[in-house]
Amino acid sequence: MKVSYQWLSQYVDVSGYTAGELAEKLTRSGVEVDVVENRNQGVSGVVVGYVKSREKHPDADKLSVCKVDVGQAEELQIVCGAKNVDAGQKVPVAVIGAKLPGDFAIKRAKLRGVESQGMICSAKELGLNDKLLPKEIQEGILVLPPDTEIGASILDVLGINDEVMELDLTPNRSDCLSMLGAAYEIGAILGREVKLPEEAQQVRDQESGVTAADRISVDVSATEACSHYAARLIEGVKLGPSPLWLQNRLMAAGIRPISNIVDITNYVMLEFGQPLHAFDADQLANGHIDVRFAQAGEKLETLDGVERTLEPHMLLITDGTKPVAIAGVMGGANSEVTESTTRILLESARFDGGTVRKTSRQLGLRSEASLRFEKEVNPEAVIPALNRAAALIAELAGGQVVSGIVEKVVQEKRSVQLELTVDRVNGYLGTSLTVEEVAGVLKRLSFTVEPLGERSVLVHVPSRRGDITRVVDLIEEVARLYGYDNIPTTLMHTETTPGKLTKEQLVRRTVRSLMTASGLHEAITYSFTHPDHMAAYPGAYSGAKPVALAMPMSEERSVLRTSLVPHLLDVATYNRNRNMDDVAVFEIGRVFVTDEAPITKLPQEKLLLSALLTGKRSELHWTGKPGAVDFYDLKGVFENVVSYLGIEGVTYTAAQPEGYHPGRTARIEVEVGGERKVIGTIGQLHPALQQAKDLADTYVLEVELDLLDELTGERFAYRQLPRFPAMTRDMALVVDRSAAVGELLEKARETAGELLESIQVFDIYTGDRVGADKKSVAISLVYRTLERTLTDEEVSELHGRVVAVLEETFGAELRK
């Protein structure tokens, strides 16, 4: 919104302040001013002149020699090259000594041998935005109205001695999209009264005595999109140019003057913030107006000469038979005001902002009117703006205003009343304001304030301030007008709690860090997948039904995943297709599980940790041959995780879940409350699935991370480094091939107790030397205590008990 300093001074006394100072105060109060532009770009010494005669230059076909009266004792002889200069015109004249933009000084000169005592100027030469002027004026000198005073300063005539503040408004401050809204803001800041135009009295003085309701009618069919529609009828109008003062006001606001009728509607829109539209009343069937939604495929040629195809959600102004305007956006060419127009139906209405916004965006038509309707205009400005425009049309276009307003009110705007206590204001702002001071600030904004008690007031919010709906909005008004700089800075008085990660967040970060440290790369894949992926690899939740999306991006992303592994397989395939066969990746993500099809309630969300290894564990090197990854590589990665988290009692039991290799897969279990609980699966993919994906031997892990959270203690336990030496004992036990090595280790650990620091299998042998149904398991046991050095006797005694228990429990024999 561009606010002219001179125009603003008509509504509020701004004496004693420059435009720059007002801009500073506005910005400090919360209404940002982007820039203050001086309309005078360096013009001085330019006056109004009267061209008394024009003759052809004797030595130049394109030059004219003019005699010009500028109000001085002698006429000036000026050589001019403009095509449109002619005798009888009033024009801007830069006399000798004048300056034009660019520090261009006017001096005496001879053009083709003829003396020139000045320069007749165009709008562009005066530093004006000539694009806001008619094309014929852009290409030649600026011709002034015939009643312009000779010798008057062009700065006053064209309003160039003005400054314009450009407001950068936030969406909630639509009240400042008008000169009156800006005046209310400046008046509140300066503590000065706002003077409103007396539009109603001016209309009554010029009414013709005929009733408008006898000649025009209004109906609103689309009641949900138009809450108020009002119209006035003006007869006997004559289209012509606007007076210069009105053109100056519009150009200062960045709007091009067109004609007196159109300019008046734009002027009042800028003044009140209420868009208006003028129809040629004779082009409306029976003078009727009906506001309705468009019909599918309905067309209308708008004022810009483009035929628009309309849709049913678009709001139209019609005459009952045909559309004549797109409500709040642009009028139709079939009801345009032209030179032959004598009767005008003047519209002022309140349309739904959302409807106008959607229509404007879809048609690519964004106007000053649509901008204001989108942000919801002041409902109480509909009638005042209508009367103001009617009065100006009667004054400047010679029309007679027909008595009465024809209107349709669908819904009255409810006024906002809020009870405000001074204690709440001070509580929010940290101030010590009194109830009188709070009321005084709100009264400066022209709010009506009624006392309710010693510490509270009832505030009636004017309809122009649609952004104020809650008590906190009022407190914000008090804060910005009291002055943010005046609000004291106070320290917080409260208990503070240091921020920290939750246990779940800590476990998740730790797992991510451990997996990365083990050489795996983290992958992040879509939560959506193809139904066939889930069928080929059901994962941990084989009975889960895929949850279909209502509006999928594509068939490839049409259901919610129930496992992370299918997408990790896609990652492996993607890399293999690019000659990167060695892949080690993991992902932490959620899957969605339900047994319903179709679903009637939200699926369960499970947080999983999945990992995939395929290819070689190391690169080709002269020190050794690279080996392919196997089951134990992935098992070691996971064991590192559970060991760091302090989870004990994890065992691996042979299993044959769908999608896995039947002999190289294990179920991961842990003892919880005396019961074995399955927390995940680890193993090789089924050969058929590997072949379908064109992958080498591939090993995957899938574990419920939520269960790891539950099994992890509140704090990770760290042990000090041992100060005393350890003693190692090795043994090779011959047991049945069916004996589980994990059970052997668990029994040994249980028997040895706290003195056993670690236990590890370092060899397994099967062959003729131990029998066809036997195997030899070589185990290394490390004994140590943090309190003292163990003696050889007690270690030997303890180790003997371990061997005896294993022999008794598993029928083991020491291999010699």
Side-chain angles (χ1 to χ4, degrees):
M1 175 68 186
K2 294 185 176 182
V3 177
S4 161
Y5 180 85
Q6 287 189 353
W7 193 359
L8 182 68
S9 64
Q10 293 187 351
Y11 309 110
V12 63
D13 180 14
V14 292
S15 58
Y17 296 92
T18 65
E21 291 170 340
L22 291 181
E24 174 68 16
K25 290 183 175 293
L26 276 170
T27 301
R28 284 184 173 273
S29 70
V31 178
E32 184 178 356
V33 179
D34 270 350
V35 66
V36 178
E37 179 186 2
N38 194 331
R39 295 195 70 204
N40 186 349
Q41 300 298 312
V43 177
S44 65
V46 182
V47 297
V48 177
Y50 175 68
V51 182
K52 300 187 70 173
S53 66
R54 173 203 175 218
E55 296 179 359
K56 182 182 177 183
H57 192 288
D59 295 325
D61 293 337
K62 295 184 178 181
L63 297 179
S64 302
V65 180
C66 303
K67 296 292 185 180
V68 183
D69 178 8
V70 293
Q72 299 178 0
E74 297 181 0
E75 296 176 355
L76 302 181
Q77 177 177 282
I78 299 176
V79 179
C80 181
K83 295 180 181 180
N84 65 327
V85 66
D86 205 354
Q89 293 175 338
K90 298 238 179 122
V91 294
V93 179
V95 298
I96 303 301
K99 287 190 175 181
L100 297 178
D103 202 23
F104 179 69
I106 304 299
K107 302 176 182 178
R108 289 182 182 274
K110 280 190 176 183
L111 300 176
R112 294 291 182 92
V114 177
E115 184 180 17
S116 182
Q117 300 170 323
M119 176 179 173
I120 301 176
C121 303
S122 67
K124 189 173 185 179
E125 290 165 337
L126 293 174
L128 299 176
N129 185 355
D130 59 337
K131 294 182 180 179
L132 296 177
L133 299 172
K135 187 175 181 181
E136 60 272 13
I137 297 179
Q138 295 179 28
E139 297 174 350
I141 62 169
L142 178 61
V143 179
L144 302 172
D147 58 349
T148 308
E149 180 185 353
I150 298 174
S153 171
I154 203 67
L155 299 179
D156 297 328
V157 172
L158 297 180
I160 299 177
N161 55 344
D162 189 14
E163 292 181 285
V164 177
M165 298 176 288
E166 187 167 352
L167 309 185
D168 184 10
L169 300 174
T170 52
N172 64 312
R173 291 309 304 271
S174 60
D175 61 297
C176 287
L177 285 171
S178 66
M179 293 301 301
L180 285 175
Y184 276 116
E185 193 69 18
I186 292 293
I189 294 171
L190 302 181
R192 297 178 180 179
E193 185 180 356
V194 176
K195 297 171 288 186
L196 300 178
E198 298 179 359
E199 74 290 333
Q201 183 61 41
Q202 293 172 355
V203 173
R204 283 195 295 270
D205 292 343
Q206 300 180 54
E207 286 177 347
S208 62
V210 179
T211 304
D214 297 334
R215 301 190 180 180
I216 61 174
S217 58
V218 169
D219 192 17
V220 176
S221 300
T223 55
E224 64 272 35
C226 178
S227 58
H228 189 185
Y229 192 98
R232 296 205 76 139
L233 182 64
I234 304 141
E235 298 181 333
V237 299
K238 184 177 180 180
L239 197 71
S242 301
L244 200 54
W245 68 265
L246 179 54
Q247 294 186 38
N248 292 339
R249 293 283 184 260
L250 294 180
M251 286 190 290
I255 294 179
R256 179 169 65 91
I258 298 175
S259 66
N260 50 5
I261 303 299
V262 177
D263 293 351
I264 288 168
T265 59
N266 285 333
Y267 177 85
V268 175
M269 176 189 68
L270 293 173
E271 187 176 47
F272 282 83
Q274 170 63 47
L276 305 168
H277 187 70
F279 296 98
D280 186 335
D282 293 327
Q283 302 303 316
L284 304 177
N286 301 317
H288 181 62
I289 288 290
D290 183 22
V291 184
R292 63 167 173 83
F293 284 111
Q295 299 171 3
E298 198 168 8
K299 298 181 183 296
L300 172 65
E301 182 183 344
T302 48
L303 290 173
D304 56 0
V306 178
E307 186 177 67
R308 313 279 179 178
T309 301
L310 309 173
E311 296 187 12
H313 64 80
M314 298 179 179
L315 190 64
L316 296 182
I317 311 298
T318 73
D319 63 358
T321 58
K322 65 181 182 299
V324 294
I326 302 174
V329 180
M330 186 173 285
N334 57 4
S335 60
E336 181 181 7
V337 175
T338 63
E339 293 181 355
S340 62
T341 299
T342 58
R343 300 171 67 247
I344 287 176
L345 186 146
L346 188 62
E347 165 197 280
S348 182
R350 185 165 184 259
F351 302 121
D352 174 65
T355 302
V356 174
R357 183 184 304 110
K358 186 176 181 180
T359 301
S360 173
R361 182 180 301 171
Q362 187 167 344
L363 295 178
L365 284 174
R366 190 162 180 84
S367 61
E368 291 288 340
S370 68
L371 170 67
R372 286 162 174 79
F373 278 121
E374 287 174 14
K375 300 182 184 303
E376 301 290 350
V377 296
N378 177 8
E380 293 184 1
V382 172
I383 299 302
L386 181 64
N387 289 337
R388 171 69 162 162
L392 288 173
I393 291 174
E395 177 186 350
L396 304 179
Q400 290 291 316
V401 182
V402 178
S403 177
I405 297 173
V406 181
E407 63 180 328
K408 185 77 171 181
V409 180
V410 176
Q411 181 180 2
E412 294 282 357
K413 177 68 176 180
R414 293 183 179 180
S415 61
V416 176
Q417 299 180 13
L418 299 170
E419 182 179 344
L420 180 65
T421 64
V422 68
D423 294 331
R424 190 168 183 186
V425 172
N426 291 329
Y428 269 83
L429 305 183
T431 54
S432 301
L433 297 174
T434 64
V435 68
E436 290 79 13
E437 289 174 320
V438 171
V441 169
L442 296 175
K443 287 178 180 178
R444 282 160 51 192
L445 283 163
S446 299
F447 290 8
T448 303
V449 181
E450 298 178 8
L452 284 182
E454 294 182 357
R455 306 290 293 173
S456 63
V457 292
L458 181 64
V459 182
H460 300 265
V461 181
S463 61
R464 60 184 170 83
R465 293 300 305 272
D467 59 310
I468 298 178
T469 58
R470 302 169 300 167
V471 170
V472 289
D473 298 328
L474 286 177
I475 296 175
E476 182 181 3
E477 295 299 297
V478 173
R480 67 185 190 84
L481 288 176
Y482 176 68
Y484 294 121
D485 293 342
N486 297 324
I487 297 176
T489 301
T490 55
L491 294 176
M492 295 176 60
H493 297 281
T494 183
E495 294 182 1
T496 58
T497 302
K500 66 175 184 178
L501 298 176
T502 64
K503 176 186 171 184
E504 292 75 15
Q505 291 172 327
L506 183 59
V507 169
R508 201 172 308 166
R509 291 195 182 187
T510 302
V511 170
R512 181 176 286 112
S513 176
L514 292 171
M515 297 294 286
T516 304
S518 298
L520 282 74
H521 298 278
E522 184 175 11
I524 300 176
T525 62
Y526 281 101
S527 296
F528 313 137
T529 189
H530 194 285
D532 293 345
H533 285 190
M534 297 298 99
Y537 183 89
Y541 308 103
S542 57
K545 301 290 192 302
V547 179
L549 301 182
M551 299 177 64
M553 295 184 292
S554 65
E555 186 179 2
E556 291 297 317
R557 304 279 182 257
S558 59
V559 298
L560 293 175
R561 64 188 178 187
T562 58
S563 173
L564 304 181
V565 173
H567 284 169
L568 292 185
L569 292 174
D570 290 342
V571 172
T573 302
Y574 180 90
N575 282 273
R576 181 173 177 79
N577 291 339
R578 286 155 181 79
N579 296 322
M580 298 175 66
D581 299 333
D582 305 330
V583 179
V585 292
F586 76 96
E587 180 175 9
I588 296 175
R590 295 192 179 277
V591 299
F592 306 87
V593 181
T594 182
D595 57 359
E596 294 183 313
I599 63 171
T600 59
K601 58 184 179 181
L602 291 176
Q604 296 182 39
E605 295 188 30
K606 303 284 188 179
L607 184 64
L608 298 186
L609 164 65
S610 291
L612 178 147
L613 297 182
T614 186
K616 299 182 292 295
R617 67 169 62 93
S618 62
E619 296 181 355
L620 182 64
H621 197 266
W622 66 272
T623 58
K625 296 182 179 180
V629 295
D630 58 22
F631 175 90
Y632 298 102
D633 289 306
L634 189 56
K635 179 172 177 284
V637 170
F638 181 67
E639 285 183 336
N640 184 42
V641 171
V642 295
S643 174
Y644 192 92
L645 296 178
I647 301 174
E648 298 179 349
V650 177
T651 59
Y652 302 85
T653 304
Q656 297 184 10
E658 186 178 355
Y660 285 89
H661 192 294
R664 300 179 183 177
T665 303
R667 187 170 59 246
I668 305 174
E669 298 178 344
V670 65
E671 186 173 336
V672 180
E675 296 182 0
R676 306 301 297 178
K677 190 170 186 179
V678 178
I679 63 172
T681 305
I682 183 172
Q684 183 180 341
L685 281 181
H686 195 281
L689 187 54
Q690 288 180 170
Q691 185 176 6
K693 293 289 184 179
D694 193 22
L695 294 172
D697 287 353
T698 302
Y699 297 88
V700 294
L701 163 76
E702 195 162 52
V703 176
E704 287 196 32
L705 199 54
D706 290 331
L707 293 179
L708 293 185
D709 289 342
E710 295 177 11
L711 296 170
T712 303
E714 291 296 326
R715 300 182 63 182
F716 298 140
Y718 295 91
R719 292 180 296 179
Q720 65 179 6
L721 292 174
R723 293 186 298 158
F724 302 99
M727 290 190 180
T728 303
R729 296 287 189 271
D730 296 339
M731 61 181 174
L733 298 175
V734 178
V735 295
D736 293 339
R737 284 199 179 187
S738 60
V741 175
E743 294 180 5
L744 279 172
L745 300 182
E746 186 63 29
K747 195 65 177 179
R749 192 178 291 112
E750 177 185 337
T751 304
E754 296 181 355
L755 294 183
L756 180 66
E757 183 180 73
S758 65
I759 182 171
Q760 184 176 2
V761 175
F762 64 87
D763 184 45
I764 295 179
Y765 170 76
T766 57
D768 296 338
R769 296 183 181 180
V770 295
D773 58 345
K774 299 288 185 178
K775 62 183 176 181
S776 173
V777 181
I779 304 174
S780 178
L781 297 89
V782 178
Y783 298 94
R784 190 203 306 263
T785 177
L786 298 177
E787 300 173 354
R788 58 187 175 84
T789 301
L790 296 175
T791 64
D792 187 67
E793 291 76 11
E794 63 181 323
V795 170
S796 298
E797 190 272 333
L798 178 58
H799 186 71
R801 288 208 309 270
V802 171
V803 172
V805 169
L806 296 179
E807 289 176 340
E808 180 181 352
T809 306
F810 298 97
E813 296 179 5
L814 276 177
R815 186 180 175 195
K816 300 179 181 178

PDB file of all heavy atoms in Angstrom, residues 177 202 301 350 410 513 581 680 808:
ATOM      1  N   LEU A 177      -4.882  -1.150   4.244  1.00  0.00           N
ATOM      2  CA  LEU A 177      -4.967  -1.093   2.787  1.00  0.00           C
ATOM      3  C   LEU A 177      -5.889   0.049   2.354  1.00  0.00           C
ATOM      4  O   LEU A 177      -6.571  -0.040   1.335  1.00  0.00           O
ATOM      5  CB  LEU A 177      -5.483  -2.433   2.237  1.00  0.00           C
ATOM      6  CG  LEU A 177      -4.487  -3.587   2.249  1.00  0.00           C
ATOM      7  CD1 LEU A 177      -5.180  -4.896   1.900  1.00  0.00           C
ATOM      8  CD2 LEU A 177      -3.343  -3.318   1.276  1.00  0.00           C
ATOM      9  N   GLN A 202     -23.203  15.004   1.476  1.00  0.00           N
ATOM     10  CA  GLN A 202     -23.014  15.428   0.098  1.00  0.00           C
ATOM     11  C   GLN A 202     -24.000  14.726  -0.827  1.00  0.00           C
ATOM     12  O   GLN A 202     -24.523  15.323  -1.762  1.00  0.00           O
ATOM     13  CB  GLN A 202     -21.577  15.131  -0.338  1.00  0.00           C
ATOM     14  CG  GLN A 202     -20.525  15.978   0.393  1.00  0.00           C
ATOM     15  CD  GLN A 202     -19.115  15.539   0.094  1.00  0.00           C
ATOM     16  OE1 GLN A 202     -18.913  14.545  -0.593  1.00  0.00           O
ATOM     17  NE2 GLN A 202     -18.149  16.267   0.606  1.00  0.00           N
ATOM     18  N   GLU A 301     -16.394 -12.197 -21.295  1.00  0.00           N
ATOM     19  CA  GLU A 301     -15.262 -11.388 -21.734  1.00  0.00           C
ATOM     20  C   GLU A 301     -15.058 -10.271 -20.714  1.00  0.00           C
ATOM     21  O   GLU A 301     -15.949  -9.448 -20.507  1.00  0.00           O
ATOM     22  CB  GLU A 301     -15.505 -10.801 -23.122  1.00  0.00           C
ATOM     23  CG  GLU A 301     -14.331  -9.984 -23.625  1.00  0.00           C
ATOM     24  CD  GLU A 301     -14.592  -9.339 -24.977  1.00  0.00           C
ATOM     25  OE1 GLU A 301     -15.548  -9.754 -25.663  1.00  0.00           O
ATOM     26  OE2 GLU A 301     -13.850  -8.402 -25.335  1.00  0.00           O
ATOM     27  N   ARG A 350     -19.761  -6.878  -0.115  1.00  0.00           N
ATOM     28  CA  ARG A 350     -18.822  -7.651   0.709  1.00  0.00           C
ATOM     29  C   ARG A 350     -18.898  -9.099   0.250  1.00  0.00           C
ATOM     30  O   ARG A 350     -19.865  -9.814   0.520  1.00  0.00           O
ATOM     31  CB  ARG A 350     -19.193  -7.531   2.190  1.00  0.00           C
ATOM     32  CG  ARG A 350     -18.193  -8.218   3.118  1.00  0.00           C
ATOM     33  CD  ARG A 350     -18.387  -7.778   4.561  1.00  0.00           C
ATOM     34  NE  ARG A 350     -17.370  -8.365   5.420  1.00  0.00           N
ATOM     35  CZ  ARG A 350     -17.559  -9.431   6.203  1.00  0.00           C
ATOM     36  NH1 ARG A 350     -18.753 -10.014   6.241  1.00  0.00           N
ATOM     37  NH2 ARG A 350     -16.591  -9.904   6.944  1.00  0.00           N
ATOM     38  N   VAL A 410     -27.454 -10.209   3.692  1.00  0.00           N
ATOM     39  CA  VAL A 410     -27.649 -11.625   3.990  1.00  0.00           C
ATOM     40  C   VAL A 410     -27.274 -11.936   5.430  1.00  0.00           C
ATOM     41  O   VAL A 410     -27.962 -12.676   6.127  1.00  0.00           O
ATOM     42  CB  VAL A 410     -26.813 -12.494   3.023  1.00  0.00           C
ATOM     43  CG1 VAL A 410     -26.939 -13.970   3.388  1.00  0.00           C
ATOM     44  CG2 VAL A 410     -27.247 -12.256   1.595  1.00  0.00           C
ATOM     45  N   SER A 513      24.818 -44.726  15.913  1.00  0.00           N
ATOM     46  CA  SER A 513      26.265 -44.503  15.975  1.00  0.00           C
ATOM     47  C   SER A 513      27.027 -45.824  15.909  1.00  0.00           C
ATOM     48  O   SER A 513      28.050 -45.938  15.218  1.00  0.00           O
ATOM     49  CB  SER A 513      26.618 -43.752  17.260  1.00  0.00           C
ATOM     50  OG  SER A 513      28.004 -43.591  17.401  1.00  0.00           O
ATOM     51  N   ASP A 581      29.000 -53.912  -5.803  1.00  0.00           N
ATOM     52  CA  ASP A 581      28.458 -55.181  -5.299  1.00  0.00           C
ATOM     53  C   ASP A 581      28.525 -55.312  -3.793  1.00  0.00           C
ATOM     54  O   ASP A 581      27.786 -56.094  -3.196  1.00  0.00           O
ATOM     55  CB  ASP A 581      29.207 -56.352  -5.939  1.00  0.00           C
ATOM     56  CG  ASP A 581      29.047 -56.369  -7.456  1.00  0.00           C
ATOM     57  OD1 ASP A 581      28.005 -55.859  -7.922  1.00  0.00           O
ATOM     58  OD2 ASP A 581      29.945 -56.868  -8.149  1.00  0.00           O
ATOM     59  N   GLY A 680      13.501 -60.353  17.212  1.00  0.00           N
ATOM     60  CA  GLY A 680      13.814 -60.133  15.813  1.00  0.00           C
ATOM     61  C   GLY A 680      14.296 -61.385  15.125  1.00  0.00           C
ATOM     62  O   GLY A 680      14.267 -62.489  15.681  1.00  0.00           O
ATOM     63  N   GLU A 808      28.312 -83.264  32.743  1.00  0.00           N
ATOM     64  CA  GLU A 808      27.093 -83.846  33.316  1.00  0.00           C
ATOM     65  C   GLU A 808      25.858 -83.409  32.535  1.00  0.00           C
ATOM     66  O   GLU A 808      24.951 -84.209  32.287  1.00  0.00           O
ATOM     67  CB  GLU A 808      26.983 -83.407  34.775  1.00  0.00           C
ATOM     68  CG  GLU A 808      25.735 -83.961  35.476  1.00  0.00           C
ATOM     69  CD  GLU A 808      25.627 -83.492  36.910  1.00  0.00           C
ATOM     70  OE1 GLU A 808      26.603 -82.867  37.412  1.00  0.00           O
ATOM     71  OE2 GLU A 808      24.576 -83.714  37.524  1.00  0.00           O
TER      72      GLU A 808
END
